[in-house]
Amino acid sequence: MANPPSKPQILLPDDLILEIFARADVNTIGRSRTLCSYWNWELGTEEFVFKHLDAAKKRPASIYVHFGVKGRRSLGSWVFRFNVDTGENERLHIPFLRNSQGQFEVIGTDNGCMAIRYLCISHPSNLIVWNPNTDQVTRIPDPMQHHCCICASTYAFLYFPDSVGYVWINIYKKKILDSQSWLTSYSSVTGHWDSNFPCPPYVQGVDSRYVVNHGIVYWLNWNNHAQTSPQCIVHFSNFTNQFGFILIPVEARAMIQRLLICEGCLYYAAVHAKSDSYRWLIWKIEEGNQGYSWELSSQFGGHGSAESPEYLTHDYLVTVKDTSQPTRGTQFTITKLDTKNQQRRTLKVVEFPLSTYIKSLNLNFNTIVPV
């Protein structure tokens, strides 16, 4: 490793200054790195990146919402970042050009970075890792360029725990009529797609609303298309390259459901909706010697159409709901619910004049992890 640049004269100890920087926002750190070569080096070390990441996890997270226009107008697409504590938002500018033949999908977010798949008729598709806080971009080849382009193909994106290395997971079929799915994964450490092996029969793809916890990807799984609710939760460990599944009890199944991560634990939110009311049941899932146990953690009821739970802590839950009205265009409402006293507070109402819908939602923290 190269030696650090010479240190300028500072009255405060280094440890105290780094603790202050660890609690600062990304823009402050970016400006501070331009002060001199010493601070540019010090604030870019892996040790400081992890310190800043640990501090970021204690701050309110952000919800990334990808809005799109219904129909074939791929240019009508926006990504907004919402603070789950205050509702403040900003529109993100995706770091590549698009034309009428191109489209992109947000695969996921982790450690402050966004994973995007970009498709264009005139160019090969690309997988992109982008940190919107630092504008760093990394492009890697899409493995589907070597497979049947009309076959089902799904992706997941995650970072190694306590590391700046990340992984892409791609589950695909070699032929459109195949019942067998295959998995291949890309590691930023090796710089190429390392593995390629068959998936168990119950794995046909990755649900787009997967969650990641300690290097393990979890997603809801339907055994067949005729089912109205998922029968199990599939998980894949990035360390052992092994699949597994968690059966969902009959009493926990619902037509609207969501996996959530809260303080390192897996939760399952089941939403039971009727014509004019709904009720949530949020279950905590823990692994023990006798298998997985399901404990009812909290429940909440409301009137009107059901909301989608997106972010959970032990004190509150953040939801996103389509509150569109024919005379006012498209409208989405982000709400914060207190799970203890059953009170709610509207964080933000987002309005669009066009026929808009939510393409994807992802949760993350605002960090400076390099890509």
Side-chain angles (χ1 to χ4, degrees):
M1 178 189 284
N3 294 325
S6 58
K7 177 183 174 182
Q9 267 195 324
I10 307 173
L11 297 179
L12 297 176
D14 278 4
D15 292 345
L16 179 57
I17 294 178
L18 290 177
E19 286 294 333
I20 295 173
F21 274 125
R23 289 163 172 76
D25 59 82
V26 175
N27 292 331
T28 300
I29 295 174
R31 291 194 298 268
S32 300
R33 292 187 65 173
T34 64
L35 293 174
C36 63
S37 58
Y38 174 81
W39 286 116
N40 181 52
W41 180 87
E42 189 71 42
L43 299 180
T45 61
E46 188 171 297
E47 180 182 0
F48 177 76
V49 168
F50 289 138
K51 184 184 290 290
H52 188 267
L53 179 59
D54 290 339
K57 291 179 179 179
K58 300 174 184 177
R59 297 195 294 267
S62 294
I63 291 180
Y64 291 86
V65 185
H66 182 195
F67 296 99
V69 177
K70 294 179 180 178
R72 300 180 61 85
R73 295 184 59 189
S74 60
L75 288 179
S77 187
W78 313 270
V79 177
F80 283 81
R81 178 166 55 190
F82 295 88
N83 185 298
V84 299
D85 190 46
T86 63
E88 296 179 355
N89 70 95
E90 62 176 319
R91 180 175 175 177
L92 303 180
H93 299 282
I94 303 300
F96 51 84
L97 296 177
R98 290 179 291 141
N99 55 34
S100 59
Q101 297 178 329
Q103 60 179 331
F104 71 93
E105 59 177 321
V106 179
I107 301 300
T109 58
D110 198 7
N111 277 13
C113 295
M114 183 176 293
I116 300 171
R117 187 188 185 203
Y118 174 63
L119 303 167
C120 185
I121 295 177
S122 58
H123 299 284
S125 60
N126 280 288
L127 302 180
I128 298 171
V129 182
W130 171 48
N131 190 325
N133 299 298
T134 62
D135 277 336
Q136 287 182 287
V137 177
T138 298
R139 290 175 174 83
I140 62 175
D142 188 350
M144 285 309 297
Q145 297 180 31
H146 309 293
H147 305 299
C148 177
C149 62
I150 61 175
C151 292
S153 180
T154 53
Y155 300 81
F157 173 78
L158 66 152
Y159 269 82
F160 293 107
D162 301 322
S163 171
V164 295
Y166 56 83
V167 174
W168 282 81
I169 294 173
N170 174 218
I171 295 180
Y172 66 97
K173 293 186 177 182
K174 294 183 177 180
K175 296 180 181 179
I176 192 170
L177 297 179
D178 283 356
S179 59
Q180 177 72 68
S181 293
W182 294 75
L183 182 143
T184 182
S185 62
Y186 173 91
S187 170
S188 64
V189 177
T190 61
H192 55 80
W193 295 87
D194 298 312
S195 56
N196 194 354
F197 54 86
C199 301
Y202 56 85
V203 175
Q204 296 295 307
V206 181
D207 184 74
S208 61
R209 303 186 79 177
Y210 64 88
V211 296
V212 177
N213 190 32
H214 301 306
I216 301 177
V217 186
Y218 298 88
W219 67 90
L220 295 166
N221 185 61
W222 283 256
N223 290 339
N224 59 67
H225 295 292
Q227 298 289 341
T228 58
S229 61
Q231 285 72 52
C232 67
I233 301 169
V234 174
H235 54 86
F236 175 77
S237 172
N238 186 59
F239 300 105
T240 62
N241 284 342
Q242 291 183 342
F243 287 94
F245 63 90
I246 307 169
L247 288 176
I248 301 175
V250 175
E251 62 270 20
R253 297 177 185 178
M255 294 185 64
I256 304 174
Q257 63 289 309
R258 185 76 162 95
L259 293 178
L260 302 166
I261 300 295
C262 176
E263 297 188 2
C265 295
L266 178 65
Y267 287 80
Y268 170 86
V271 184
H272 301 272
K274 296 182 179 180
S275 58
D276 58 348
S277 63
Y278 61 89
R279 185 169 63 98
W280 293 339
L281 298 176
I282 300 179
W283 304 79
K284 183 179 181 181
I285 306 172
E286 291 186 298
E287 184 178 8
N289 296 330
Q290 305 298 324
Y292 290 90
S293 63
W294 290 64
E295 177 188 355
L296 186 59
S297 174
S298 61
Q299 52 186 315
F300 188 89
H303 295 282
S305 59
E307 299 164 291
S308 173
E310 297 300 332
Y311 177 62
L312 174 69
T313 72
H314 287 308
D315 298 321
Y316 64 88
L317 181 71
V318 175
T319 69
V320 178
K321 183 177 182 180
D322 185 349
T323 53
S324 303
Q325 300 178 11
T327 58
R328 298 184 60 181
T330 302
Q331 179 176 282
F332 299 94
T333 302
I334 300 177
T335 307
K336 190 173 182 178
L337 304 172
D338 191 319
T339 57
K340 294 182 179 179
N341 56 27
Q342 305 287 291
Q343 293 182 349
R344 65 174 60 231
R345 177 169 65 93
T346 299
L347 290 178
K348 192 72 178 178
V349 177
V350 187
E351 295 184 357
F352 291 95
L354 303 172
S355 179
T356 310
Y357 71 111
I358 294 180
K359 300 186 73 172
S360 60
L361 292 124
N362 293 279
L363 176 71
N364 215 330
F365 302 93
N366 303 323
T367 61
I368 61 168
V369 172
V371 298

